[in-house]
Amino acid sequence: MLKITNLKVELEEESKEILKGINLEIESGSVHAIMGPNGSGKSTLSYVLSGKKGYKVTNGEVELAGEPILELEPEERAASGLFLAFQYPVEIPGVGNMTFLRTAMNSQRKFRGEAELSAADFLKLVREKAKELKIDAEMLKRPVNVGFSGGEKKRNEILQMALLEPKMCVLDETDSGLDVDAMKLVADGVNALRDKGRSFLVITHYQRLLDHIKPDFVHIMADGRIIKSGGPELALQVENNGYSDLLAEVQ
Amino acid sequence: MTSLEANDSVKDGVDQETVEAVRNVGGHYKYGWETEIEMDYAPKGLDSDIVRLISAKNNEPEWMTNWRLDAFSRWEKMEEPNWAMVDYPKIDYQDIYYYASPKSMAEKPKSLDDVDPKLLETYKKLGIPLKEQLILAGVEGAEEANLDERKVAVDAVFDSVSIGTTFKDELRKAGVIFCSISEAITDYPELVKKYLGSVVPVTDNYFATLNSAVFSDGSFVYIPEGVRCPMELSTYFRINAENTGQFERTLIIAEKGSYVSYLEGCTAPKRDTNQLHAAIVELVILEDAEVKYSTVQNWYPGDENGLGGIYNFVTKRADCRGDRSKVMWTQVETGSAVTWKYPSCILRGNESQGEFYSIAIANNFQQADTGTKMIHLGKNTKSRIVSKGISAGNAQNTYRGLVTMHPKATSSRNYTQCDSLLIGNKCGAHTVPYIEVKNNSSRVEHEATTSKVDDDQLFYCRQRGVNEEDAVALVVNGFCKEVLQALPMEFAMEAQQLVAISLEGSVG
């Protein structure tokens, strides 16, 4: 589904290398987790994948379902099935959540040459999805993320994911700022969306999210590289011993 | 006074491409075409003979001619104001045509059926067909919104003359007078004599005095006591002729307990030269009456290099003369090279209320200096100001407002909210609020914010599949929401699209 080959990335403003040759292949339907200490380049990877400005790719390639995506605009990557659940979902005052979701959905459909959904059909769909994810309809009427609690913001991300039905979901520290109950709700939402046609890349500091979203593979990232890959047991090792052992091992 | 230049203290939210993209805007103004039609012009320039000529063209009675001549002699002694934050080359008032009328209008058409088809076609192309139909056609989404029951009467003003007015008969049955001001001067001289210039005095300001001397047409509305106007009324102003000023005058009188909602729209062809538009709107609102006045101003704004565009110097004022009278101004200002406009409320009656909702968008080299005045004279009067200024490109956008509580305006309240949004880093937003409180039982609140459309918001939208221009439109429409909601349904949808069009190309 997603294939990253020797990806090297610098900050645009200063020639500081953040990603120093990432290789990663994610099969269709699988869940990969990336863990790593602060400053290891985890969030940068999610931004580069989704096409945020401010980064310069100096080497490597990224393919989504066999197609290179690094030359595409963010909205084109989105329409091709890439979704990023933000660590800090952005507030858009005055824009109703419903309007935002409908605009996003129809933009993607238009891009793919599909018919736009009517207001009525969209309403039906969004209500259905919200119900499945146990999201209060009230949240749909409020402006995008404005005045939302940390948990509500993250659940709103999952709702968007459910509606847009992406092929490749990148979750950037979705557990940050959540208490245990909120985290469980979010994880349940993600688990409900697991499907053989959909892959996940879960970026997190802590093992605890991975108790709820069980990964098939775990990668440890440090200083812009993946230093170790393994199964779910690798996450437990980090939980018990921290990153220092792993870092020492590599050096 | 707070002033904020985008390029100094605000964090740079939109990258360099923005500026370049802004330079490439242009060609998006939908109404820039012109109608080829034979015109009658008064000779260029202005003197008392021109004033007499305009009066004669309208077959005006002598009192009106004298009123104009008086205004002209006062104007000659006045100086053009320069306190606004707008910068434009000196206007040569002798290099302008003050009267231009299609030749086919020399003989006033008896009904819309007699109007020159070229003129009818012009309005049709603008989306304002002069037919008595149920809804304003050309407003996309109008059908969706189930507006079947709503009617809008239109007075169409083309350069210096009114072409025609729809639904006149139906309105007359309700007692409502809706006609051009030139007709009103002939047909309802008593009303005109009583109210013309009673809200905006002849010597109010330079441009108002000029208008008083040379105004050629405009709309007149009279709503009798206790009548709720059965439909929305609207005037559509079109400047077509080159080097010609448009000086229209609108007078609305709402008698005791009456209600009317009035809409105003305006466009002009694309030209390299600047054109002057100096209008006056006077609203007289008596006891328990209510007037809603909405404007979507879309005069040609000039090109991406600041060439051409309308100079828009407008005086609009409502006089809430009666107790419990109400006025609501809503304006969406997207056009004009220079805008100088302060729709104001004189809250004379006790418990009278004034509201002002404004969206002012300035892109490229547009300059807008706009706001309102809330003059509280009566007891327990209330006013509310919501101003949303959006600047992009190299534009400068100033909110200028006055709130004054007179000694007798006890227990009165004002709330002002003034938000500015910047797109790119070469534009400026300025807020100049004047507040005068002369009693100690009134309360005045002022809130102001300045923000930027930042990359994070745009990236969030784009990651969800929305392209950059739509993302800007989405964010800006969200910013303007409170004001858009104050507009009548037909205009709200049009305005929303206009907001998007005005900002096309403002990001990279």
Side-chain angles (χ1 to χ4, degrees):
Chain A
M1 180 63 70
L2 186 75
K3 191 176 174 197
I4 305 173
T5 316
N6 200 21
L7 182 67
K8 292 183 182 175
V9 172
E10 285 178 5
L11 284 182
E12 212 161 59
E13 286 183 2
E14 40 180 324
S15 54
K16 184 185 171 196
E17 194 167 55
I18 307 286
L19 300 181
K20 302 174 179 175
I22 300 280
N23 289 289
L24 182 64
E25 191 163 355
I26 299 177
E27 300 293 328
S28 192
S30 64
V31 176
H32 287 235
I34 289 189
M35 299 180 73
N38 286 329
S40 55
K42 304 190 299 293
S43 284
T44 299
L45 178 62
S46 73
Y47 289 146
V48 171
L49 291 177
S50 50
K52 191 175 181 175
K53 288 176 186 168
Y55 301 97
K56 194 165 100 194
V57 175
T58 55
N59 189 62
E61 187 51 80
V62 176
E63 286 174 22
L64 179 67
E67 299 293 325
I69 60 167
L70 288 176
E71 295 298 315
L72 300 181
E73 295 293 335
E75 56 270 27
E76 294 170 330
R77 301 183 196 197
S80 308
L82 184 81
F83 183 93
L84 171 63
F86 284 67
Q87 182 179 1
Y88 304 109
V90 178
E91 298 185 1
I92 311 178
V95 178
N97 221 0
M98 201 78 109
T99 307
F100 179 72
L101 288 169
R102 190 175 162 212
T103 308
M105 182 145 203
N106 281 335
S107 299
Q108 292 203 11
R109 293 179 73 101
K110 212 164 127 188
F111 183 83
R112 293 192 294 256
E114 300 162 13
E116 294 186 25
L117 279 189
S118 71
D121 287 345
F122 175 76
L123 196 65
K124 208 175 139 210
L125 183 69
V126 76
R127 286 205 177 127
E128 199 177 288
K129 297 283 183 189
K131 204 176 161 196
E132 278 171 26
L133 295 168
K134 300 192 184 75
I135 285 172
D136 193 352
E138 182 57 30
M139 201 161 106
L140 296 169
K141 293 179 193 156
R142 287 154 57 186
V144 181
N145 294 323
V146 177
F148 282 29
S149 70
E152 283 175 328
K153 281 184 182 171
K154 298 298 169 71
R155 288 170 70 196
N156 197 25
E157 296 288 287
I158 305 304
L159 173 65
Q160 295 181 28
M161 193 194 284
L163 268 172
L164 298 171
E165 300 185 323
K167 290 187 278 203
M168 180 70 229
C169 307
V170 180
L171 276 62
D172 187 11
E173 305 209 14
T174 290
D175 53 333
S176 72
L178 297 189
D179 59 32
V180 181
D181 293 336
M183 186 164 71
K184 187 157 184 315
L185 273 172
V186 168
D188 288 348
V190 171
N191 287 329
L193 293 172
R194 285 178 78 154
D195 181 270
K196 59 180 185 305
R198 182 172 295 134
S199 311
F200 289 85
L201 179 60
V202 181
I203 293 171
T204 182
H205 267 301
Y206 302 109
Q207 193 268 339
R208 56 177 192 172
L209 179 66
L210 305 180
D211 285 342
H212 301 287
I213 305 173
K214 298 255 188 297
D216 300 310
F217 298 95
V218 174
H219 311 277
I220 307 298
M221 196 163 160
D223 192 27
R225 292 185 183 88
I226 289 174
I227 57 165
K228 195 173 170 106
S229 298
E233 73 285 350
L234 197 53
L236 283 171
Q237 193 185 332
V238 170
E239 177 75 1
N240 294 330
N241 308 331
Y243 290 110
S244 47
D245 286 6
L246 285 168
L247 292 174
E249 203 178 298
V250 177
Q251 280 155 4
Chain B
M1 170 165 169
T2 56
S3 179
L4 188 52
E5 292 289 339
N7 51 1
D8 50 45
S9 55
V10 188
K11 177 183 150 276
D12 195 0
V14 179
D15 72 18
Q16 195 55 33
E17 278 175 52
T18 304
V19 181
E20 274 153 41
V22 165
R23 285 202 196 102
N24 299 327
V25 204
H28 295 298
Y29 185 71
K30 257 167 76 183
Y31 308 102
W33 43 271
E34 70 182 285
T35 308
E36 278 187 33
I37 193 162
E38 274 192 83
M39 299 292 287
D40 250 340
Y41 291 95
K44 230 181 202 180
L46 183 56
D47 57 25
S48 55
D49 286 343
I50 295 288
V51 174
R52 281 196 192 89
L53 186 143
I54 292 168
S55 191
K57 288 269 181 199
N58 287 341
N59 301 313
E60 286 173 355
E62 205 187 335
W63 61 267
M64 194 65 234
T65 315
N66 291 337
W67 196 83
R68 288 173 178 279
L69 288 169
D70 171 54
F72 178 69
S73 68
R74 289 167 189 266
W75 179 75
E76 282 186 305
K77 296 179 198 90
M78 293 170 87
E79 298 263 336
E80 195 173 323
N82 62 2
W83 44 260
M85 213 180 133
V86 290
D87 189 18
Y88 53 93
K90 204 162 168 44
I91 298 169
D92 181 353
Y93 290 90
Q94 297 307 331
D95 194 33
I96 296 173
Y97 292 106
Y98 286 82
Y99 187 87
S101 161
K103 280 203 167 135
S104 55
M105 292 296 295
E107 192 101 341
K108 282 236 165 180
K110 296 219 164 34
S111 75
L112 285 170
D113 300 335
D114 300 333
V115 172
D116 185 343
K118 260 190 186 165
L119 291 169
L120 294 178
E121 186 56 34
T122 299
Y123 283 88
K124 196 173 164 196
K125 206 168 157 190
L126 292 168
I128 317 287
L130 299 177
K131 282 190 291 185
E132 302 202 342
Q133 56 191 10
L134 287 180
I135 51 171
L136 256 184
V139 178
E140 283 173 55
E143 290 132 54
E144 228 179 278
N146 196 13
L147 300 173
D148 294 351
E149 296 304 310
R150 305 189 60 166
K151 294 178 183 175
V152 177
V154 181
D155 180 21
V157 177
F158 187 88
D159 289 324
S160 303
V161 291
S162 167
I163 303 299
T165 311
T166 62
F167 287 112
K168 258 185 169 170
D169 294 337
E170 193 172 336
L171 287 166
R172 200 169 289 140
K173 274 181 209 147
V176 172
I177 302 170
F178 180 40
C179 62
S180 70
I181 193 114
S182 54
E183 284 172 85
I185 290 166
T186 315
D187 298 347
Y188 311 99
E190 293 314 311
L191 285 173
V192 175
K193 260 189 208 169
K194 185 171 174 190
Y195 292 111
L196 189 75
S198 75
V199 183
V200 178
V202 168
T203 52
D204 189 80
N205 67 71
Y206 187 80
F207 299 107
T209 309
L210 175 63
N211 175 288
S212 300
V214 301
F215 77 89
S216 49
D217 223 330
S219 302
F220 176 81
V221 177
Y222 177 80
I223 317 284
E225 187 169 339
V227 170
R228 196 180 164 86
C229 187
M231 64 185 84
E232 308 253 352
L233 305 184
S234 76
T235 303
Y236 197 93
F237 296 100
R238 175 76 175 169
I239 296 180
N240 190 64
E242 199 160 7
N243 298 320
T244 302
Q246 192 178 55
F247 306 91
E248 87 269 2
R249 185 136 192 152
T250 299
L251 175 59
I252 298 178
I253 302 146
E255 288 279 9
K256 285 182 187 172
S258 65
Y259 168 86
V260 64
S261 168
Y262 183 92
L263 323 171
E264 177 198 84
C266 20
T267 59
K270 254 182 208 181
R271 298 197 196 283
D272 293 347
T273 50
N274 297 104
Q275 273 178 286
L276 179 63
H277 172 255
I280 291 183
V281 174
E282 293 180 282
L283 311 183
V284 179
I285 309 168
L286 301 173
E287 238 170 79
D288 296 302
E290 183 178 353
V291 176
K292 284 186 183 166
Y293 194 107
S294 314
T295 305
V296 173
Q297 187 263 103
N298 190 18
W299 294 120
Y300 178 54
D303 71 4
E304 66 277 14
N305 298 314
L307 191 64
I310 302 289
Y311 291 160
N312 192 34
F313 298 96
V314 173
T315 306
K316 291 184 170 180
R317 195 171 301 155
D319 191 350
C320 288
R321 284 190 192 161
D323 292 350
R324 297 169 303 278
S325 54
K326 266 190 204 170
V327 63
M328 179 164 133
W329 293 106
T330 308
Q331 61 170 19
V332 179
E333 301 283 317
T334 62
S336 299
V338 172
T339 296
W340 181 100
K341 180 183 167 189
Y342 317 89
S344 305
C345 305
I346 301 171
L347 303 172
R348 200 185 299 275
N350 293 331
E351 293 168 53
S352 58
Q353 291 181 27
E355 289 176 80
F356 173 76
Y357 294 91
S358 170
I359 296 171
I361 300 180
N363 196 358
N364 298 320
F365 286 86
Q366 281 177 276
Q367 305 172 68
D369 193 306
T370 183
T372 185
K373 287 192 248 180
M374 293 291 174
I375 317 276
H376 291 252
L377 301 175
K379 289 188 185 79
N380 301 314
T381 46
K382 271 189 218 163
S383 65
R384 184 182 171 86
I385 299 169
V386 178
S387 163
K388 306 278 181 179
I390 297 134
S391 321
N394 291 280
Q396 296 296 329
N397 204 332
T398 304
Y399 166 82
R400 190 181 301 277
L402 168 69
V403 175
T404 172
M405 300 283 181
H406 279 246
K408 285 181 182 160
T410 50
S411 306
S412 295
R413 293 216 311 259
N414 161 264
Y415 172 74
T416 300
Q417 186 191 332
C418 189
D419 300 322
S420 305
L421 188 70
L422 301 165
I423 303 174
N425 57 10
K426 286 199 173 167
C427 54
H430 315 272
T431 306
V432 192
Y434 299 87
I435 297 171
E436 298 169 3
V437 183
K438 293 170 184 158
N439 68 61
N440 50 25
S441 60
S442 292
R443 201 169 79 207
V444 176
E445 288 173 70
H446 181 93
E447 282 181 29
T449 65
T450 301
S451 53
K452 292 196 79 168
V453 172
D454 67 352
D455 261 355
D456 287 344
Q457 280 177 328
L458 296 183
F459 177 61
Y460 190 70
C461 295
R462 295 179 77 187
Q463 207 301 307
R464 296 302 182 250
V466 183
N467 72 44
E468 194 160 23
E469 253 169 26
D470 289 350
V472 171
L474 197 67
V475 171
V476 173
N477 271 312
F479 173 77
C480 299
K481 194 181 181 189
E482 274 174 280
V483 177
L484 290 170
Q485 280 173 337
L487 284 169
M489 184 76 94
E490 292 87 343
F491 263 28
M493 283 178 286
E494 195 187 331
Q496 221 164 343
Q497 289 164 2
L498 194 56
V499 166
I501 292 167
S502 309
L503 291 169
E504 259 175 29
S506 63
V507 289

